Amino acid sequence: MANTNDDRLRAQLIEYADTTPEPPVISPRAGIVTSGCSRCQRTAWRQHDCEGPLWVCGTCGHVEPVTVECPHCAVPMTPPALGTPDLWECPTCPRVAATGDRPQDIEDRERKRLGAARVGPA
């Protein structure tokens, strides 16, 4: 916890720590990814089951699948396998994404990839 002598700030920090759920057990390669729960707006943690990644709310228990759509092809991207880096792949084009990427992030990454391919190795 932050070291502070400000009683008001200290109370805010304690309230935050007391109301924020502990992260679930995860593999060291998957990392910690959070989002706002679509139902109660508290912290949802990314988990992975046999069907792919899920958002699991630490407060209300709401569960929903994590989905990423290719902005170019308008199809769901293939989720990363359990224990692999957070890299979603489009099944029809070479675009890739990370969980939480906006369509613009995905297009920017693709533009950089194409630019690097045109320049070639140094």
Side-chain angles (χ1 to χ4, degrees):
M1 183 170 286
N3 182 12
T4 181
N5 293 325
D6 181 338
D7 290 337
R8 187 178 63 71
L9 180 57
R10 191 160 187 75
Q12 288 175 335
L13 291 168
I14 290 169
E15 191 271 333
Y16 174 80
D18 287 345
T19 60
T20 301
E22 291 295 319
V25 177
I26 57 173
S27 73
R29 290 183 65 194
I32 294 176
V33 180
T34 62
S35 180
C37 173
S38 63
R39 190 172 286 167
C40 73
Q41 306 304 311
R42 300 295 292 195
T43 303
W45 306 91
R46 188 182 68 193
Q47 293 291 287
H48 211 106
D49 71 2
C50 62
E51 295 181 13
L54 305 165
W55 292 119
V56 180
C57 181
T59 302
C60 73
H62 176 66
V63 176
E64 65 184 63
V66 177
T67 57
V68 177
E69 185 175 285
C70 177
H72 177 73
C73 304
V75 299
M77 297 179 95
T78 305
L82 181 61
T84 62
D86 182 21
L87 186 67
W88 295 70
E89 298 176 350
C90 179
T92 59
C93 77
R95 284 170 178 75
V96 295
T99 302
D101 275 357
R102 299 169 300 154
Q104 187 62 48
D105 299 329
I106 298 168
E107 291 301 326
D108 289 347
R109 185 178 293 111
E110 178 65 5
R111 206 170 3 269
K112 287 178 186 174
R113 183 189 73 80
L114 291 172
R118 276 193 297 274
V119 172

